[in-house]
Amino acid sequence: MKRWITLCLSLLLLAVLTACGQTENTEQTPSTDPPASEEVTEVNTKDNTKDNIVTVSTVAELIRVIAPDAHIVLKSGDYNFSALTEEEIADCGGYVNPDVLSLGEFYVYNAPGLTLEAEESGSVRLITENGYTDVMTLSYCDGAVLKGLVLGHEVEKGACDAYVLELSTSQSVTVEDCYLFGCGTYGIRAEGAAGLTVIGTEIYECTGGIFSLSETTEAVFDHCRFYDNDGMFSLWEGTEVLVRDTEISSNRDGLLQGYNSGLDTDTVRITFQGCTFRDNPDMDTNPDAWPGATFVDCDLQPVSVSTSTDTAYDELIERFRALAVNPYGFPTADGAGEQNFLITAQEMGEGWGYEPSDMIGYAIKDLNGDGVPELAIGPTREYGAYQIALFTLVDGKPQLIFGEVGDGSYAYLQDGRFFYSGYHSASEIGQGFYHLTDDGTALICDEFYFVQILDGDESDVTVYYNTTGSWDPAESEESDMTAEDFWALDPAGEALPLTPFSGTGSWSAVESESPVSVQYLTEVGDEDYNWVTLYDGPDACCILITSDSWASDLNIWNLFVEDVADDGTMTCSATLAGDDCHWDTMTSDTPIAVQLIFPGDLPAYGISYEDQHGTLRRFAIEVSGDDGSLLLREADPNESGFVLEGNK
């Protein structure tokens, strides 16, 4: 759909320019005069007129002075395109699309030779708060230069379905010393952008991949850094690229995404020269595994199995499973968190009269949004909310965050926050709020309250408060909280859905059934539905989305088939179906009713969610050709988007 929008804008612009006598053919020959604007003169141009250099300090000034061959220097600061007012957008120059700008996207067209340069490299941020528009698009901007800029989406990771920088029919573009960050799906998306040169640039934390190129030859990426992206390189027909002296590290997914979709490798060439590959857990470091790719003097460091987040916790889970099955059979257990686990398992077994392996389980879930999943171990929701132990991954290996004897108990709230409850001694009881550090390796105290019970009287106590977690009254202050309020502290948390250790074997996303299902809604019962209307016209129907277990981050998507391979594999782009098509959590008590229309044989809708194991699942909603029933067709879990495999 985005390609159609770009094409239509380009054709409309061409028609207007032709009518105005500003161009005589289809080549880029726009007027070199800056677009008319009464307030352009307010921008600082002192001492810069000789080289056509203009200095700006606000986003409103920037959009007014965009023009072919303009050299614009941006002073330090944030240039937030989502913060523009209607008046400022209406006053933008003739080379910026105001309609797209109103959505928060900086769309520049027909401005060849344009240069945008940060006055101080790395100090200028071009951002948008809309996760469903590109940060910046250059269309028909041959020879454009971006230098020293930071570009990205200012939204929560995962709430994004657009590129950071898109190049459309813009050749010989240079991107130098820039920083492109996610959650944009790709750092750079280029189509028809021959001669693209990217130098000294970092691309990181993108949810789709590093770059996606189509019909783009003679592209060069030199002395760059690509890291912490959820995918790597997506290449399509008519593409030739050289990646030189570049570090490629800590990225997910395979090296070349397009090849997994049945791409004709004869039309694509990528050469890695003098590059270093390290800590990319899903990449096969055997060069022969990647047809169409050439490696010259590269350092391809193999990744041990333990660094893959898909398997890093397997051995640990099996160890705790054994402890749960026989908590009295390991008197010398001394691994991280094991003694505390055994004590808890023995107490629960004796107290409830059930097998501990039925009452205690685990969940793998990224609790603080740093991209690294944690392993939580504790009672299933029927038997308690406090976790026994919590692990994260450091260099691909499990590391205990809490869970030793004396650490106390922590109940998960949300967004990496925990509620603590524990004892320092028989007479000292504490409660408080903590959060995970940015790297997820430790807990930091936000609020800590404790009491000292004297003579056994719990009603007449002083509540002490600090933000360090100290039990020392001298390092604390007396709180206004009453004893009654202290004992009543019990914030509502998010019950982690744990898989009991009594389950056999390790869970596998491929082998498991989807907890979420769809069916036609033919009769409305007494249930409370979450209603969504996507289409309200002739031939509309209603479907019901239900779940037999807890799921999180559920979304409904509009799907658009972009490519169909010879084997029937379909590659689909996806956009959120509406502002009301996202739910943080879903349970069996919260069915979703959707009114829509199935317009044809190709999939038009999809859903995605994280299951109780923290694994992202994607499905296309299809209509059976046999009986007309609804089917969920799971997308390839090894791909970063909706790629529906064809016949093998």
Side-chain angles (χ1 to χ4, degrees):
M1 181 64 69
K2 186 174 297 228
R3 295 177 185 150
W4 281 109
I5 293 174
T6 302
L7 179 59
C8 291
L9 286 172
S10 302
L11 292 175
L12 178 59
L13 175 67
L14 184 61
V16 172
L17 291 178
T18 302
C20 295
Q22 294 182 347
T23 183
E24 297 179 358
N25 51 50
T26 58
E27 297 181 359
Q28 296 186 31
T29 56
S31 170
T32 57
D33 295 330
S37 174
E38 295 180 359
E39 295 186 29
V40 170
T41 55
E42 297 178 7
V43 179
N44 177 23
T45 58
K46 185 177 180 180
D47 300 327
N48 292 331
T49 55
K50 180 178 179 181
D51 298 321
N52 198 24
I53 297 178
V54 177
T55 300
V56 298
S57 58
T58 69
V59 66
E61 293 174 353
L62 173 63
I63 63 175
R64 291 205 307 269
V65 298
I66 297 296
D69 298 316
H71 187 159
I72 302 171
V73 175
L74 290 78
K75 287 188 171 296
S76 300
D78 284 0
Y79 292 70
N80 187 346
F81 300 106
S82 296
L84 287 164
T85 66
E86 292 183 3
E87 292 76 13
E88 290 170 335
I89 293 173
D91 200 29
C92 73
Y95 299 95
V96 177
N97 186 315
D99 295 329
V100 180
L101 191 59
S102 66
L103 301 176
E105 178 177 345
F106 186 30
Y107 192 107
V108 180
Y109 57 91
N110 218 41
L114 172 68
T115 296
L116 299 183
E117 180 179 359
E119 186 176 56
E120 180 182 348
S121 182
S123 68
V124 173
R125 299 190 340 132
L126 307 185
I127 57 176
T128 181
E129 297 175 12
N130 186 349
Y132 301 99
T133 63
D134 300 340
V135 179
M136 181 177 186
T137 296
L138 294 175
S139 179
Y140 290 92
C141 293
D142 288 0
V145 176
L146 305 179
K147 188 172 183 179
L149 305 174
V150 182
L151 291 84
H153 292 84
E154 286 286 280
V155 298
E156 181 182 354
K157 187 172 183 179
C160 210
D161 189 42
Y163 311 119
V164 179
L165 173 63
E166 181 167 11
L167 307 176
S168 176
T169 320
S170 296
Q171 300 184 2
S172 301
V173 172
T174 298
V175 180
E176 183 176 352
D177 296 333
C178 289
Y179 303 84
L180 313 181
F181 67 90
C183 69
T185 53
Y186 286 91
I188 297 178
R189 162 62 180 164
E191 183 172 4
L196 169 64
T197 301
V198 181
I199 305 170
T201 290
E202 297 186 9
I203 300 177
Y204 52 97
E205 298 180 0
C206 291
T207 57
I210 298 165
F211 58 68
S212 176
L213 306 182
S214 175
E215 298 178 0
T216 297
T217 58
E218 299 180 357
V220 176
F221 292 78
D222 193 7
H223 285 85
C224 295
R225 288 187 65 216
F226 306 141
Y227 57 94
D228 293 338
N229 298 286
D230 289 345
M232 297 181 72
F233 307 105
S234 178
L235 306 174
W236 302 92
E237 289 82 356
T239 295
E240 176 187 345
V241 57
L242 168 64
V243 181
R244 181 169 56 208
D245 297 329
T246 290
E247 178 184 311
I248 304 165
S249 62
S250 301
N251 302 288
R252 301 288 303 174
D253 211 347
L255 178 70
L256 303 176
Q257 298 166 326
Y259 291 161
N260 297 332
S261 303
L263 181 67
D264 182 4
T265 58
D266 293 337
T267 66
V268 170
R269 298 298 306 175
I270 183 168
T271 299
F272 297 97
Q273 179 179 322
C275 295
T276 298
F277 296 83
R278 60 178 177 82
D279 298 332
N280 301 296
D282 303 317
M283 175 185 167
D284 190 335
T285 54
N286 179 5
D288 295 335
W290 305 108
T294 301
F295 300 86
V296 180
D297 298 328
C298 291
D299 180 10
L300 289 88
Q301 300 177 11
V303 179
S304 64
V305 174
S306 62
T307 61
S308 171
T309 58
D310 294 334
T311 59
Y313 290 121
D314 285 359
E315 184 176 343
L316 192 62
I317 291 171
E318 294 308 315
R319 172 61 174 176
F320 278 93
R321 190 193 308 276
L323 299 179
V325 170
N326 185 14
Y328 294 95
F330 299 87
T332 60
D334 61 357
E338 291 184 356
Q339 279 299 315
N340 186 51
F341 178 88
L342 288 174
I343 293 171
T344 305
Q346 293 168 9
E347 291 176 348
M348 290 184 65
E350 294 170 359
W352 288 89
Y354 301 126
E355 292 295 331
S357 60
D358 291 330
M359 296 185 290
I360 304 175
Y362 67 94
I364 300 175
K365 182 177 177 64
D366 182 5
L367 299 181
N368 67 332
D370 65 350
V372 178
E374 282 74 36
L375 169 65
I377 296 175
T380 58
R381 66 179 67 191
E382 297 89 345
Y383 301 101
Y386 287 89
Q387 303 305 309
I388 301 172
L390 185 69
F391 292 84
T392 190
L393 295 176
V394 177
D395 296 330
K397 297 180 180 180
Q399 176 175 299
L400 185 69
I401 300 173
F402 64 76
E404 297 290 10
V405 175
D407 279 355
S409 300
Y410 293 86
Y412 181 62
L413 300 178
Q414 59 182 356
D415 299 329
R417 298 176 62 247
F418 290 82
F419 177 70
Y420 165 84
S421 179
Y423 296 81
H424 188 55
S425 69
S427 62
E428 295 173 297
I429 302 173
Q431 302 183 101
F433 299 89
Y434 288 72
H435 72 270
L436 285 168
T437 56
D438 290 342
D439 63 4
T441 59
L443 287 172
I444 295 178
C445 180
D446 296 318
E447 303 175 46
F448 183 65
Y449 304 88
F450 69 96
V451 297
Q452 295 178 326
I453 303 173
L454 303 177
D455 302 324
D457 185 0
E458 296 183 359
S459 62
D460 185 19
V461 296
T462 298
V463 181
Y464 294 95
Y465 164 80
N466 61 64
T467 59
T468 63
S470 171
W471 291 88
D472 188 349
E475 298 176 357
S476 311
E477 60 185 51
E478 294 187 8
S479 169
D480 294 333
M481 182 181 292
T482 65
E484 183 179 0
D485 290 339
F486 175 82
W487 298 118
L489 273 178
D490 187 18
E494 177 182 338
L496 288 174
L498 305 182
T499 301
F501 282 116
S502 57
T504 57
S506 298
W507 178 87
S508 168
V510 176
E511 297 171 356
S512 68
E513 296 293 331
S514 168
V516 176
S517 60
V518 297
Q519 62 188 41
Y520 287 111
L521 179 61
T522 57
E523 183 177 354
V524 178
D526 296 331
E527 298 91 346
D528 290 329
Y529 301 109
N530 291 314
W531 279 96
V532 176
T533 300
L534 302 181
Y535 174 78
D536 187 16
D539 300 322
C541 63
C542 287
I543 67 171
L544 187 66
I545 303 175
T546 59
S547 177
D548 58 15
S549 65
W550 185 92
S552 65
D553 196 25
L554 187 139
N555 299 280
I556 302 176
W557 303 92
N558 287 325
L559 299 185
F560 305 91
V561 177
E562 302 285 355
D563 181 70
V564 180
D566 293 339
D567 66 351
T569 295
M570 288 185 286
T571 300
C572 303
S573 60
T575 58
L576 195 66
D579 293 338
D580 54 352
C581 290
H582 169 80
W583 294 265
D584 291 333
T585 59
M586 181 181 184
T587 68
S588 58
D589 298 327
T590 56
I592 300 169
V594 186
Q595 182 172 318
L596 44 69
I597 184 173
F598 291 102
D601 296 332
L602 296 177
Y605 304 99
I607 61 172
S608 67
Y609 60 88
E610 284 191 10
D611 63 20
Q612 61 180 343
H613 306 278
T615 300
L616 177 63
R617 312 286 297 275
R618 303 182 185 90
F619 296 86
I621 303 174
E622 296 186 321
V623 179
S624 171
D626 296 328
D627 58 10
S629 62
L630 297 181
L631 305 173
L632 286 179
R633 180 179 176 185
E634 185 160 18
D636 186 346
N638 296 316
E639 294 284 352
S640 60
F642 280 86
V643 177
L644 308 173
E645 292 185 331
N647 298 322
K648 298 292 186 181

